[in-house]
Amino acid sequence: MIEQVIIRYGEISLKGKNRSDFEQRLLINLRRAVADMPSVRLHKSGGRILAALGGADLEVVERRLTNVFGVISLSPVEVCPLTIDDMTAAAVSILRSEHESRAATFKIEVKRTNKQFPLNSLEVAAEVGGRVLDALENLTVNVHHPDSTIFVEVREDGAYVFGTKLPAVGGLPVGSAGRVGLLLSGGIDSPVAGWLSLKRGAELEAIHFHSFPFTSQRALDKVETLAQILANWAGRVRLHTVHFTDVQTEIRKHCPESLGITIMRRMMVRIAAEIARERKLLALVTGESLGQVASQTLESIRTINAVTNLPILRPLITEDKVDIVKRARHIGTYETSILPYEDCCTIFVPKSPRTRPRVEEAEQAEAGLDVSNLVKEAVRRTTLKTYVAEEFVESALPVV
């Protein structure tokens, strides 16, 4: 009977003196993921984390824990007494469930941390393997390319027997790398960039630019759905919705049409940087991919960057669209992103946008704008909503 789950983490184990901080953050995030399942108990054990189910639904626990950033794999384990008979019974049970009466090959791998156990690892493998062959006539041994590998860990408190390693999302625990501001549009790219930032341990606050009535309520609903999907991965995402209508109107009135996209992006970065200052965010994140559109040439990126000293992270900068779409499908944002509602980035698009704008000409083009007051007013009218993972208990999340 499966009573425990082994939770493995990869990159964290390479950390030096800070390793315990990362482990503690991961443990906190795992506990939040099952906070509504009080029977589940988690604790660190020998470079891994163990989850005691206490009668909780194994499939639900597996699904939630494999989606916690920082976890690379899980194994449901059968814990049995330290006897060869009990280890064999557990191995037979797992192999029988995997292969029923079909012909298959297997091998036994043993790790013995309990040095008081009278047999060494090779002897345990030979004993258990031989008895499995006697019990299951359809199986044969193949130590090089087996259909199934049964792992036996001989520990102080019992033998841990398992045959499955479920892949998990990997990365670093959310919250271990500080908080960032994600410029979230309704498109395909920026949600993926946000997800990748979560995977590297960043905590997200999304910043969306809304230009009602040029853009519709349905366009905003779409972005809120994307924020909820990201929150389902992160535990919680805050969404700042910036009233951007006045800024876009002023850009249309006072700036050359060919530089409209560049000036709009510069204003977005200024506003996002001001929100970041107020919220103590350490960097901005965008979904830009080099050369994808006019505002994503190196010249455009340099000209847009010039308005802030805040770091701007671009996780997708070297990705092509096919890979980004594949990732969007995997994380569950694609179907929402392709809904046909325009956002502020797709309205007022000039016929011939400058693809290689210079900083000096952008500054000259902005001469007719009251930049300071436009930024100040846009930030003042910004609204804030918080999205919590649908399966999380909000009270289990930290106050930020």
Side-chain angles (χ1 to χ4, degrees), residues 90-115:
V92 167
S93 173
I94 294 168
L95 287 166
R96 186 172 280 144
S97 68
E98 289 183 357
H99 300 292
E100 297 181 348
S101 60
R102 288 179 282 109
T105 59
F106 79 101
K107 73 172 182 178
I108 305 290
E109 282 194 9
V110 178
K111 181 179 179 182
R112 187 180 65 120
T113 57
N114 178 358
K115 301 306 181 188

Side-chain angles (χ1 to χ4, degrees), residues 13 31 238 262 325 349 360:
S13 62
R31 284 176 174 149
R238 288 195 165 92
T262 303
V325 167
V349 176
E360 312 82 66

Side-chain angles (χ1 to χ4, degrees), residues 246-388:
D246 295 343
V247 176
Q248 284 198 287
T249 302
E250 288 298 294
I251 291 172
R252 288 203 74 195
K253 280 184 186 175
H254 300 288
C255 300
E257 184 187 30
S258 63
L259 285 169
I261 296 295
T262 303
I263 305 303
M264 181 186 73
R265 295 284 185 186
R266 283 163 62 91
M267 292 300 294
M268 286 178 170
V269 170
R270 288 183 174 111
I271 293 166
E274 181 59 20
I275 292 172
R277 187 189 65 78
E278 291 184 358
R279 295 289 301 167
K280 297 182 171 55
L281 308 179
L282 299 176
L284 300 178
V285 177
T286 74
E288 291 162 311
S289 173
L290 188 60
Q292 191 177 104
V293 294
S295 64
Q296 296 174 18
T297 64
L298 282 177
E299 292 85 352
S300 290
I301 289 171
R302 176 175 178 270
T303 300
I304 293 164
N305 269 27
V307 301
T308 185
N309 292 322
L310 199 63
I312 300 179
L313 311 180
R314 297 178 169 90
L316 306 181
I317 196 68
T318 61
E319 296 285 326
D320 64 42
K321 199 69 177 182
V322 172
D323 292 332
I324 296 170
V325 167
K326 189 184 299 180
R327 181 90 69 174
R329 290 183 188 278
H330 169 69
I331 67 176
T333 56
Y334 180 77
E335 296 301 330
T336 301
S337 290
I338 62 172
L339 293 174
Y341 309 132
E342 287 193 317
D343 61 33
C344 67
C345 297
T346 57
I347 59 174
F348 308 139
V349 176
K351 292 179 181 176
S352 302
R354 286 290 307 278
T355 57
R356 303 185 188 283
R358 290 178 285 110
V359 174
E360 312 82 66
E361 63 182 338
E363 291 173 347
Q364 187 176 358
E366 291 171 344
L369 296 178
D370 187 348
V371 171
S372 176
N373 276 334
L374 285 172
V375 171
K376 184 178 177 181
E377 186 62 12
V379 172
R380 187 188 69 79
R381 298 180 67 180
T382 295
T383 59
L384 178 63
K385 280 188 177 180
T386 300
Y387 296 86
V388 175

Side-chain angles (χ1 to χ4, degrees), residues 58-273:
L58 175 61
E59 286 189 15
V60 175
V61 172
E62 286 177 344
R63 174 169 50 79
R64 293 192 189 183
L65 300 188
T66 51
N67 286 340
V68 174
F69 291 106
V71 177
I72 61 166
S73 69
L74 303 178
S75 289
V77 300
E78 189 163 330
V79 183
C80 62
L82 284 169
T83 70
I84 294 296
D85 284 345
D86 286 299
M87 296 178 206
T88 301
V92 167
S93 173
I94 294 168
L95 287 166
R96 186 172 280 144
S97 68
E98 289 183 357
H99 300 292
E100 297 181 348
S101 60
R102 288 179 282 109
T105 59
F106 79 101
K107 73 172 182 178
I108 305 290
E109 282 194 9
V110 178
K111 181 179 179 182
R112 187 180 65 120
T113 57
N114 178 358
K115 301 306 181 188
Q116 302 304 311
F117 193 75
L119 302 182
N120 65 30
S121 297
L122 290 176
E123 290 169 336
V124 173
E127 283 290 329
V128 174
R131 297 188 189 196
V132 167
L133 284 173
D134 292 339
L136 300 172
E137 295 180 352
N138 58 314
L139 295 186
T140 55
V141 173
N142 184 333
V143 296
H144 299 295
H145 304 289
D147 296 316
S148 295
T149 299
I150 298 298
F151 301 89
V152 179
E153 294 187 3
V154 180
R155 302 163 68 103
E156 301 288 341
D157 59 339
Y160 288 57
V161 184
F162 58 93
T164 302
K165 286 188 177 179
L166 300 171
V169 68
L172 294 172
V174 171
S176 63
R179 288 187 298 135
V180 299
L182 168 69
L183 274 65
L184 180 64
S185 73
I188 295 171
D189 300 345
S190 57
V192 176
W195 187 88
L196 288 171
S197 302
L198 292 169
K199 189 175 181 180
R200 296 311 300 163
E203 205 171 331
L204 285 187
E205 296 207 7
I207 301 168
H208 175 66
F209 296 87
H210 186 51
S211 285
F212 185 82
F214 302 130
T215 56
S216 66
Q217 179 60 41
R218 287 193 294 184
L220 180 58
D221 293 343
K222 171 181 163 182
V223 170
E224 291 182 347
T225 301
L226 292 171
Q228 179 62 62
I229 295 171
L230 290 173
N232 291 343
W233 286 96
R236 176 176 57 202
V237 167
R238 288 195 165 92
L239 174 63
H240 303 262
T241 301
V242 178
H243 178 79
F244 202 55
T245 312
D246 295 343
V247 176
Q248 284 198 287
T249 302
E250 288 298 294
I251 291 172
R252 288 203 74 195
K253 280 184 186 175
H254 300 288
C255 300
E257 184 187 30
S258 63
L259 285 169
I261 296 295
T262 303
I263 305 303
M264 181 186 73
R265 295 284 185 186
R266 283 163 62 91
M267 292 300 294
M268 286 178 170
V269 170
R270 288 183 174 111
I271 293 166

